[in-house]
Amino acid sequence: MMMQQVTTIAEKKDATKVAKSQLDSLTMRMTVAVLRKALSDSDANALTLWKVADSVCRCLRSMPQTDAIVSALYWANTAMAYDDDETLARFCLAKAFEALTC
């Protein structure tokens, strides 16, 4: 009886790790897709790019921190500082995109 409970707990922990890993992977793919869409949209104004940068930051903060994610977070946060300058915000988001896709 006790061995069966231990096995069940171990299986649940493994399932939780797998689910977390899959969620992280999905979050990363969706973040990259949002960045790609925002960068390709020539009609996106500075406020729209600020909203994208804010969303990217929120998503990436929940991810395990790797060098690429830390770099992308830096660039997304920097893009938020340029809420009145579309060109600089777009440049920073492009850097964040580059950090996540290289």
Side-chain angles (χ1 to χ4, degrees):
M1 180 72 169
M2 183 64 140
M3 187 60 170
Q4 184 180 12
Q5 288 177 336
V6 170
T7 303
T8 304
I9 291 170
E11 288 172 358
K12 286 181 182 177
K13 284 185 179 182
D14 289 341
T16 302
K17 285 181 182 178
V18 169
K20 176 72 173 131
S21 174
Q22 289 174 344
L23 182 60
D24 288 348
S25 177
L26 178 62
T27 300
M28 182 62 76
R29 287 195 313 260
M30 291 187 70
T31 301
V32 168
V34 165
L35 279 170
R36 181 180 290 124
K37 176 69 174 158
L39 292 171
S40 68
D41 184 4
S42 60
D43 293 334
N45 60 18
L47 180 59
T48 301
L49 296 174
W50 184 91
K51 290 177 182 178
V52 168
D54 183 50
S55 296
V56 166
C57 288
R58 289 173 191 261
C59 288
L60 293 180
R61 282 187 196 119
S62 67
M63 302 282 295
Q65 299 298 295
T66 63
D67 289 343
I69 290 175
V70 169
S71 178
L73 267 169
Y74 167 79
W75 284 109
N77 276 320
T78 304
M80 290 174 65
Y82 297 113
D83 60 345
D84 60 344
D85 189 335
E86 178 189 336
T87 305
L88 288 173
R90 191 175 294 278
F91 171 79
C92 293
L93 286 178
K95 288 295 202 178
F97 178 77
E98 183 181 306
L100 291 175
T101 56
C102 288

